[in-house]
Amino acid sequence: MTTTQQTIATQPIAGQRPGTSGLRKKVTVFQAPGYLENFVQAIFDSLEGFQGKTLVLGGDGRYYNDVAIQTILRMAAANGFGRVLVGQHGILSTPAASCVIRKHQAYGGIILSASHNPGGPEGDFGIKYNIGNGGPAPEKITEAIYANTQKITRYLTTVGADVNLAVQGKSSIGEMAVEVIDPVADHADLLASLFDFERIGALLRSGSFRICFDAMHAVTGPYAQEIFVKRLGAPAGSVINGVPLPDFGGGHPDPNPTYAEELVKVMFADTAPDFGAASDGDGDRNMIVGRHFIVTPSDSLAVLAANAQLVPGYANGLKGVARSMPTSAAADRVAEKLGIACYETPTGWKFFGNLLDAGMATLCGEESAGTGSDHVREKDGVWAVLFWLNILAVRRESVEAILRSHWQRFGRNFYSRHDYEGVDSAVANTLMTDLRASLAKLPGRTINGATIQSADDFAYTDPVDGSVSTAQGVRVGFADGSRIVFRLSGTGTEGATLRVYLERYEPDASTHGVETQQALGGLIALAEQLAGIRARTGRDQPTVIT
Ligand code: VG1
Ligand code: CO
């Protein structure tokens, strides 16, 4: 292909600081001239020694994915990459991209996704950079990228025809090779090496155990089809909303009881299947539902850790577990029984990378429905579903029975997250500033009969490289071990989202059946007293409760 390299003059664009997981903005913002190009060039300018090396490229298939991929291919060629591995149709789920980076020893990868945020021309778009271990770039790199966006003067690109992404195969842009790869195969093979596909397949084909996987018209459709239907033999109707659409069918691809309404309906019907699951826009989250029973993500992590020895890939035991700070301590209790370490990190998968690389943790999880292991360096939705299916195939008990016996053994961490979405940014920031200012005076105070034992703004020192991350969320701990955490989302694109995380430990099995919001009623009232959410935001209830 004939190509001409071009250097295009540009100017810094404000607001290109990556958040919890990459840069996320409205599609219309990304469509502005130079917006995507500036950020991509800022990524390349923050890297060293990639000349001639391999870049992995793909996204969740949302609106603008196809346009952005062609732009990035041209820029990668002009910047001197030797080869790009790009998913067919521009598709790669986030965990699959991580898998491909690792398997093909790429220099790094660019993933196009705004994950659980809605898509379409009026929706969101996102981009993030992953390093050679397959995981999200650490803060040191994301901050360097941001610094570059503030001083950028030019970007490099090439002029030439688009690469045909519809068919797998090799082509080139100038000196750079382009390989359009099967987006599913590498990831499916890796998962097949970890789980007992024979046993899971036998269960799914038995006719006495039915599953429903809701791909929410997002990226996991093809992965679920290949793995659950083709390789494991589940009946075709086991995957619903399996065709990826640029606008996710108008839905909100966030697998929680509010947005995965259709799955919840199926799983609470009289004729409900035995097991239900959903994943998000880019395939890294998972929601696990039993018959008439929703599993909270924090409990799910704890159950996986407690049953890991039943799964071939983890039968030799876990090196440790790690959870994000706002995730419940259910996993800590399992780790304690297993005699392994449990690490507490800030929100966002990038903080697990060092622990996984150093062999300090095997399983990681977040309360936001992310679970994963050292098989890749991202959370992995289909992996979590297979882990559950493997446990179910061995134990042959219902999801609910497994949870109830888990609580009996370890006690129950009642847990809920209340999100207030689209709050005025200034109001949300003042709320957090005021909370932070009140922290020093809180310990020792008694409110509504509850004594505050500790109060701080979570700071994390990475045990591997010593890097420090501050202001990661306000924590208020009570004398009975209960906890409230307040933080602002770093993935939203409209105003601010206030997240309030509530947790109470209950050892007494006779009260484990109490409805969660009721069990947390006292804490919900305390959160209101501490932060004044109603008066400040004008909201009398959260937008989403998970
Ligand atoms: C949210 C979740 C966090 C997760 C992040 C990316 O971040 O709380 O646990 O790692 O999304 O997930 P925040 O800053 O909005 O709370 V994904 O699946 O959207 O890439
Ligand atoms: Co996601």
Side-chain angles (χ1 to χ4, degrees):
M1 204 186 286
T2 343
T3 47
T4 327
Q5 185 157 331
Q6 282 189 325
T7 301
I8 311 280
T10 188
Q11 284 175 11
I13 300 172
Q16 295 199 320
R17 180 181 228 143
T20 312
S21 178
L23 181 70
R24 295 186 190 177
K25 300 283 175 196
K26 292 273 164 220
V27 166
T28 47
V29 172
F30 269 101
Q31 285 170 326
Y35 195 91
L36 175 69
E37 290 85 348
N38 273 19
F39 190 74
V40 171
Q41 189 63 51
I43 294 175
F44 293 155
D45 288 344
S46 74
L47 310 175
E48 271 170 21
F50 59 81
Q51 304 298 321
K53 302 250 165 79
T54 299
L55 180 75
V56 171
L57 178 61
D60 63 11
R62 68 177 59 223
Y63 186 81
Y64 205 55
N65 195 79
D66 47 356
V67 178
I69 294 252
Q70 299 291 348
T71 302
I72 297 168
L73 282 171
R74 289 182 227 280
M75 291 184 64
N79 277 274
F81 274 95
R83 178 173 74 144
V84 175
L85 300 179
V86 54
Q88 189 177 9
H89 302 296
I91 294 279
L92 275 177
S93 78
T94 288
S98 184
C99 166
V100 172
I101 293 171
R102 294 169 67 77
K103 182 166 174 176
H104 300 276
Q105 291 168 0
Y107 181 90
I110 291 181
I111 302 175
L112 303 173
S113 173
S115 188
H116 57 286
N117 300 17
E122 308 300 321
D124 290 350
F125 192 73
I127 173 168
K128 69 172 183 164
Y129 178 70
N130 279 29
I131 58 176
N133 75 352
E139 274 190 335
K140 207 177 87 196
I141 295 180
T142 56
E143 285 302 300
I145 294 171
Y146 177 52
N148 287 338
T149 67
Q150 293 175 298
K151 56 177 195 224
I152 192 166
T153 57
R154 58 89 185 95
Y155 65 82
L156 309 180
T157 188
T158 43
V159 186
D162 277 1
V163 173
N164 180 5
L165 297 176
V167 282
Q168 291 172 31
K170 296 183 184 176
S171 61
S172 62
I173 302 178
E175 301 282 291
M176 186 184 81
V178 179
E179 284 180 39
V180 179
I181 60 167
D182 177 342
V184 178
D186 285 338
H187 190 223
D189 291 348
L190 175 62
L191 296 175
S193 76
L194 297 172
F195 300 104
D196 190 340
F197 268 34
E198 241 169 72
R199 205 155 176 178
I200 301 171
L203 178 70
L204 296 182
R205 290 188 302 268
S206 67
S208 61
F209 181 92
R210 288 181 300 129
I211 67 166
C212 177
F213 180 86
D214 187 351
M216 303 186 88
H217 286 304
V219 79
T220 40
Y223 296 84
Q225 196 62 36
E226 168 70 21
I227 294 167
F228 303 129
V229 179
K230 215 166 136 208
R231 296 201 187 192
L232 292 167
S238 305
V239 176
I240 61 170
N241 301 318
V243 178
L245 296 173
D247 67 348
F248 308 121
H252 195 140
D254 192 349
N256 63 45
T258 304
Y259 295 125
E261 207 188 342
E262 189 177 343
L263 176 71
V264 171
K265 230 172 161 183
V266 170
M267 294 308 297
F268 279 79
D270 290 344
T271 54
D274 303 275
F275 178 81
S279 190
D280 69 332
D282 60 331
D284 55 0
R285 295 189 181 200
N286 71 90
M287 175 184 182
I288 303 295
V289 194
R291 211 165 184 273
H292 304 182
F293 189 89
I294 292 172
V295 181
T296 68
S298 294
D299 277 347
S300 179
L301 174 66
V303 168
L304 299 194
N307 291 277
Q309 80 286 351
L310 304 179
V311 176
Y314 306 91
N316 291 336
L318 306 175
K319 292 169 184 148
V321 295
R323 62 163 175 85
S324 65
M325 181 274 283
T327 304
S328 97
D332 303 42
R333 297 183 181 277
V334 176
E336 202 187 328
K337 278 238 163 88
L338 293 174
I340 56 173
C342 182
Y343 300 92
E344 186 177 41
T345 61
T347 294
W349 210 262
K350 58 181 171 239
F351 294 102
F352 293 131
N354 279 349
L355 296 171
L356 293 167
D357 282 353
M360 294 164 79
T362 307
L363 295 189
C364 305
E366 294 192 278
E367 51 64 40
S368 54
T371 340
S373 85
D374 57 3
H375 69 295
V376 290
R377 292 293 179 275
E378 288 278 4
K379 50 192 190 268
D380 189 339
V382 173
W383 170 91
V385 174
L386 286 168
F387 206 125
W388 263 98
L389 287 174
N390 202 143
I391 293 170
L392 292 167
V394 175
R395 286 185 54 170
R396 296 278 181 157
E397 291 167 69
S398 72
V399 171
E400 178 170 354
I402 287 175
L403 258 296
R404 295 216 181 274
S405 66
H406 184 93
W407 293 335
Q408 194 121 38
R409 183 162 168 224
F410 296 97
R412 177 171 181 186
N413 290 68
F414 279 103
Y415 186 85
S416 184
R417 186 178 97 187
H418 289 192
D419 290 338
Y420 297 81
E421 294 178 344
V423 172
D424 181 82
S425 294
V427 168
N429 286 328
T430 312
L431 183 150
M432 290 302 294
T433 311
D434 290 353
L435 266 176
R436 289 192 162 103
S438 73
L439 289 175
K441 285 191 236 124
L442 288 180
R445 262 186 67 190
T446 299
I447 312 175
N448 296 353
T451 304
I452 298 174
Q453 199 169 54
S454 61
D456 69 356
D457 192 353
F458 181 56
Y460 177 67
T461 304
D462 187 297
V464 178
D465 66 14
S467 58
V468 177
S469 304
T470 56
Q472 298 296 323
V474 165
R475 314 188 276 189
V476 180
F478 296 86
D480 70 347
S482 297
R483 189 174 76 138
I484 304 174
V485 175
F486 301 88
R487 63 178 281 281
L488 298 184
S489 157
T491 58
T493 59
E494 257 177 54
T497 294
L498 170 68
R499 305 202 195 282
V500 183
Y501 309 79
L502 308 138
E503 176 176 5
R504 179 167 80 78
Y505 179 65
E506 180 54 76
D508 177 5
S510 72
T511 61
H512 286 167
V514 177
E515 196 274 324
T516 303
Q517 300 306 313
Q518 198 183 323
L520 295 173
L523 277 179
I524 295 169
L526 284 169
E528 178 57 34
Q529 290 219 3
L530 286 167
I533 303 166
R534 237 174 262 158
R536 289 170 187 265
T537 65
R539 309 278 178 87
D540 51 13
Q541 57 187 27
T543 327
V544 178
I545 294 180
T546 49

